[in-house]
Amino acid sequence: MNTADLGLPVAVPSTALFTDQYELTMVQAALRSGTADRRSVFEVFTRRLPEGRRYGVVAGTGRLLDAVENFRFDATILDFLTERGILDETTRKWLADYRFRGDIWGYPEGEVYFPGSPILRVEGTFAEAVLLETVILSILNHDSAVAAAASRMSVAAGDRPLIEMGARRTHELAAVAASRAAYVGGFHTTSDLAAGFRYNIPTAGTSAHSFTLLHDNERDAFTAQVDSLGAGTTLLVDTYDVAEAVRTAVEVAGPGLGAVRIDSGDLLLLAHRVRQQLDELGATDTRIVVTSDLDEYAIASLAAAPVDAYGVGTQLVTGSGHPTCSMVYKLVARAEGDGDDAPLRPVAKKSMGGKASHGGRKWAARRPDEHGVAEAEVIGTGPVPAELADRQLMVPLVRGGEVVAREPLDAARERHIAARAGLPMSAMQLSRGEAVLPTEYV
């Protein structure tokens, strides 16, 4: 099934109200002043990475493209805005025909980014481009935060699979987006069936403690689960006594038991004890899955333990302490006059306190060293140096209002793995540090 063909809305038939009121008041004022159609360039970037992070991960691009396509003002929405006194009649008529007809370029989903990277560039008239600010930032800030946390957890886990299981720890729609972003960042499966349905992500799940507590004893619970799901299932063994549960699990399912899950206690100690017990019982191929408020540091601490898979919830869907990437959407260039051929003038806010930005329509490239490892993120506004021509990072996403860059989610996931592999080894360190690549402006 190609889930992109489902045409499912984000939550409502239109994404037009996923915006802030001042976007509309700016459009109304620009229409009145005659500047609404002035050609403009907006860029998405972040001035800094979250504290201690070495790189960021672009995620949410596919969702962003859907949101741009669904950004429409129907009669019901326009009535609401008019009744609230937000729109005058001229703006209402303009919005009734709104379609984004400009161009969008950006880092492809799964790519890594650094401070100042022009993650997304939106080009069109001021009015049509400024309206997209909030929905673009809400998607990229959330999904990229989750993907960055997922990537760090993936590095910590090495070759061991990761299960996303945070749906109960966030908003129901954010949970679906988080599952998607986690998959881009390196997770293998999700427990969220909505994410599995919408994005074709592999799903996983067996039973909770409530299922064991439902039965008169643990043996009855394990028997019921094995009878239903087969010996290859995963049995939860920490409801009562772990050692007794492991013994009962193997007696019920046999040495072909698929896996046991440990959800509490000293996971490092328990993993070693359970592995030894399983081997002594002849269940040498039975895997050990651990859960219980894991983050990248807890996963790294279990690297030497006989653990076969990790299940992560709260810390993943909240960005492991950094639930946003602090991305901003800024006007960086605008035409000096009316008409498509009017030259662009770089513009930038003059600001104190670390909020300064660089004006101009930008390109970005990643310069490698003599060994092919990335050594700098190079950003410029003029001609691209010949040696960087084939190293450019931005790709067309929308041309003339038409999406041109839809791709399978697996493509973004594979791209991230490749992009991460091209960074210096220090990018994989979980210890606090600065961005692994410097940003150079030329």
Side-chain angles (χ1 to χ4, degrees):
M1 176 178 64
N2 184 357
T3 52
D5 294 335
L6 292 173
L8 297 174
V10 175
V12 292
S14 168
T15 55
L17 292 183
F18 291 171
T19 191
D20 289 297
Q21 183 168 322
Y22 80 165
E23 315 290 5
L24 297 180
T25 58
M26 284 191 287
V27 168
Q28 179 168 301
L31 287 169
R32 183 165 295 187
S33 71
T35 55
D37 290 334
R38 183 168 289 177
R39 188 161 56 101
S40 300
V41 180
F42 287 84
E43 288 177 353
V44 174
F45 61 93
T46 185
R47 297 183 177 93
R48 65 191 65 84
L49 297 178
E51 184 180 356
R53 296 291 170 88
R54 304 299 180 93
Y55 59 90
V57 181
V58 178
T61 308
R63 295 204 311 118
L64 184 156
L65 296 176
D66 291 341
V68 170
E69 276 195 336
N70 288 329
F71 206 92
R72 305 282 188 269
F73 293 85
D74 60 24
T76 302
I77 291 174
L78 292 172
D79 287 346
F80 162 76
L81 295 171
T82 303
E83 291 165 3
R84 291 290 181 97
I86 297 170
L87 304 179
D88 61 16
E89 188 58 30
T90 299
T91 310
R92 179 189 173 110
K93 290 180 179 178
W94 187 88
L95 290 175
D97 189 45
Y98 178 84
R99 302 286 187 277
F100 179 73
R101 297 180 173 88
D103 299 333
I104 300 177
W105 287 66
Y107 282 38
E109 189 159 20
E111 183 58 83
V112 297
Y113 70 87
F114 300 91
S117 295
I119 296 163
L120 201 75
R121 186 174 72 226
V122 180
E123 304 183 37
T125 68
F126 174 82
E128 69 177 342
V130 77
L131 283 178
L132 300 177
E133 175 182 2
T134 302
V135 71
I136 284 176
L137 288 180
S138 66
I139 291 172
L140 289 180
N141 268 313
H142 173 269
D143 289 25
S144 297
V146 174
S151 181
R152 286 164 60 85
M153 294 174 189
S154 175
V155 168
D159 295 331
R160 298 170 178 177
L162 290 158
I163 308 163
E164 184 281 313
M165 46 194 301
R168 290 166 292 171
R169 298 294 186 264
T170 188
H171 184 278
E172 66 272 18
L173 294 179
V176 181
S179 294
R180 183 186 183 281
Y183 190 69
V184 171
F187 272 59
H188 299 78
T189 57
T190 178
S191 67
D192 191 292
L193 292 178
F197 174 73
R198 183 176 178 108
Y199 297 117
N200 204 28
I201 300 170
T203 58
T206 51
S207 68
H209 292 101
S210 60
F211 185 75
T212 300
L213 296 169
L214 169 68
H215 293 81
D216 293 337
N217 54 62
E218 213 161 32
R219 181 178 294 275
D220 288 349
F222 290 170
T223 299
Q225 185 173 326
V226 170
D227 286 348
S228 174
L229 301 177
T233 190
T234 300
L235 296 176
L236 182 59
V237 295
D238 72 319
T239 305
Y240 305 117
D241 179 83
V242 173
E244 182 61 31
V246 171
R247 185 179 302 109
T248 303
V250 176
E251 288 175 358
V252 170
L257 172 63
V260 296
R261 177 163 74 96
I262 309 169
D263 187 51
S264 60
D266 185 334
L267 298 179
L268 179 61
L269 177 63
L270 287 173
H272 281 285
R273 287 180 175 175
V274 168
R275 180 73 272 157
Q276 180 179 352
Q277 186 179 10
L278 288 169
D279 291 347
E280 291 173 350
L281 293 171
T284 55
D285 293 328
T286 298
R287 296 174 297 113
I288 298 175
V289 179
V290 296
T291 54
S292 185
D293 294 326
L294 298 178
D295 61 10
E296 60 266 49
Y297 302 105
I299 292 170
S301 73
L302 293 167
V307 171
D308 298 286
Y310 306 92
V312 189
T314 303
Q315 291 299 318
L316 175 63
V317 299
T318 57
S320 195
H322 298 288
T324 180
C325 301
S326 299
M327 294 179 187
V328 294
Y329 185 93
K330 297 297 181 183
L331 181 68
V332 297
R334 54 94 170 167
E336 293 185 347
D338 298 330
D340 294 339
D341 58 348
L344 286 173
R345 172 190 299 173
V347 295
K349 170 184 176 181
K350 290 185 178 180
S351 177
M352 304 292 287
K355 280 196 169 184
S357 56
H358 297 263
R361 181 181 184 275
K362 301 175 191 66
W363 53 263
R366 190 162 297 145
R367 188 177 68 236
D369 63 15
E370 64 272 21
H371 303 293
V373 178
E375 67 174 11
E377 195 88 338
V378 185
I379 299 170
T381 56
V384 181
E387 66 272 17
L388 295 177
D390 61 349
R391 298 284 180 175
Q392 293 189 72
L393 295 164
M394 303 178 78
V395 299
L397 302 174
V398 176
R399 283 200 182 104
E402 298 295 323
V403 174
V404 296
R406 279 206 172 88
E407 62 182 2
L409 192 58
D410 280 327
R413 174 186 170 85
E414 292 165 5
R415 180 180 296 115
H416 175 62
I417 294 171
R420 193 174 65 193
L423 297 177
M425 286 294 294
S426 56
M428 309 307 134
Q429 295 175 347
L430 297 181
S431 57
R432 294 186 180 278
E434 300 298 322
V436 73
L437 295 186
T439 301
E440 298 179 1
Y441 291 92
V442 298

